Amino acid sequence: IADGACAHFMAVGPPTEADWRSLDLARHATSLSADGVRLTSGTGADVLGDPRDALTWIANNHANAGVGLLAGQFITTGVTGQPSPVKAGQRVTAELGILGQVSVTLIE
């Protein structure tokens, strides 16, 4: 993950069937819950104003470093809402509206 926050872990769900290119991602609502209790919510604007702006920054930064981005890589642009503490045993769900959701159960 971009700055090493979030303990270097990321949960990836199946690809979305939604036409994300036509969405106003800056206004797109998200939420995070643990065991069915909402921990935080936000919008794409929480990520440098728009997640596409964050993606552009990442791509340019890597290109300037001579690294570039490669086909097939997963890129995460940042957190929407507030970073929230979770603990072992909890089922954590990220809800991304029509883009889908992903859930994980944390183990010790």
Side-chain angles (χ1 to χ4, degrees), residues 2-94:
D3 59 3
C6 303
H8 303 280
F9 294 106
M10 178 173 74
V12 179
T16 185
E17 298 290 327
D19 179 16
W20 62 269
R21 287 175 177 87
S22 68
L23 295 177
D24 181 351
L25 293 179
R27 294 181 60 163
H28 192 76
T30 66
S31 67
L32 182 74
S33 63
D35 295 332
V37 176
R38 182 174 285 186
L39 301 175
T40 190
S41 60
T43 67
D46 295 335
V47 185
L48 294 181
D50 188 306
R52 288 169 286 215
D53 292 340
L55 180 59
T56 300
W57 180 89
I58 292 166
N60 289 337
N61 183 274
H62 278 64
N64 290 338
V67 180
L69 300 178
L70 303 174
Q73 285 182 311
F74 286 94
I75 308 297
T76 179
T77 57
V79 175
T80 58
Q82 295 296 312
S84 302
V86 293
K87 59 186 177 192
Q90 287 185 306
R91 181 154 186 83
V92 179
T93 301

